[in-house]
Amino acid sequence: MSSELHRLLEAANARIQHGNDERAAGADDKARAIADEAARRGRGGPRQLADELGVSEKTISQAIARARNAPSSSGRTLPPDTLERLLAAEVEALPPLRELQWEALAWIVRSTFIDVLWIEQPGELLAQEVEDAENIITIKEPALLAETCRSFSRVQALAVIDACQRGDVATLPVKHGTPSE
């Protein structure tokens, strides 16, 4: 197998594992919430909770057992939406670009395989993709756009990539004025 295929498979497996880890952490959080509420209600709490949630008492019992055996959640100190909030804050700090420039970057991002290796230098890699794409799509002043990509902080570049991958280019700051500016 080619090294590119190995890299792609490794990235896919890492993504699958991350999803599995998050799913398990979510199930542990759900079990803790159920166990805490059942304990708060005291005697008869599990039965009340089962009725309220429309599940069997066995399901509540299993959740309580899972909560007892789950790893402590005290190791997680950041709120679950921290990444989304960080990326949104970085979008606000981006230099404004013309709408067509953002659309060109979105096209480039969507047509590029972006894996974990992009974490190291996302702005530089995005700039290289802009330079490579100038013969494929029309980009006004590609060198300037590439230089702008290189000026992004690591998190800013990842915020741009995220917005482009989600098709949410409208959240990126647009430079207004005459087209010649």
Side-chain angles (χ1 to χ4, degrees), residues 75-129:
R76 295 190 106 181
T77 56
L78 296 174
D81 64 342
T82 299
L83 176 61
E84 291 80 11
R85 293 173 61 190
L86 171 65
L87 295 177
E90 290 300 314
V91 163
E92 292 177 13
L94 285 168
L97 296 178
R98 296 256 175 243
E99 192 173 330
L100 290 175
Q101 290 174 306
W102 287 126
E103 289 173 11
L105 280 176
W107 183 87
I108 290 167
V109 166
R110 286 190 303 268
S111 63
T112 302
F113 178 74
I114 296 176
D115 62 7
V116 294
L117 299 176
W118 278 66
I119 290 173
E120 293 302 317
Q121 295 181 315
E124 175 61 31
L125 294 172
L126 193 54
Q128 290 173 14
E129 292 296 329

Side-chain angles (χ1 to χ4, degrees), residues 8 12 14 19-20 22 31 33 43 61 103 106 111 124 134 147 165:
L8 292 172
N20 291 340
E22 283 298 306
R43 186 180 168 120
S61 175
E103 289 173 11
S111 63
E124 175 61 31
E134 77 178 282
E147 193 54 41
Q165 286 180 329

Side-chain angles (χ1 to χ4, degrees), residues 7-26:
R7 189 178 63 77
L8 292 172
L9 292 175
E10 186 175 300
N13 285 333
R15 204 167 169 194
I16 290 167
Q17 185 59 48
H18 176 73
N20 291 340
D21 292 345
E22 283 298 306
R23 191 173 298 106

Side-chain angles (χ1 to χ4, degrees), residues 119-176:
I119 290 173
E120 293 302 317
Q121 295 181 315
E124 175 61 31
L125 294 172
L126 193 54
Q128 290 173 14
E129 292 296 329
V130 167
E131 292 166 345
D132 291 345
E134 77 178 282
N135 296 328
I136 300 170
I137 62 173
T138 305
I139 303 174
K140 190 172 184 178
E141 300 177 342
L144 184 59
L145 183 55
E147 193 54 41
T148 300
C149 292
R150 284 186 176 94
S151 74
F152 294 155
S153 72
R154 179 182 296 181
V155 180
Q156 285 176 328
L158 292 172
V160 168
I161 291 167
D162 179 65
C164 291
Q165 286 180 329
R166 288 183 294 105
D168 204 8
V169 180
T171 62
L172 300 172
V174 176
K175 184 177 189 179
H176 298 286

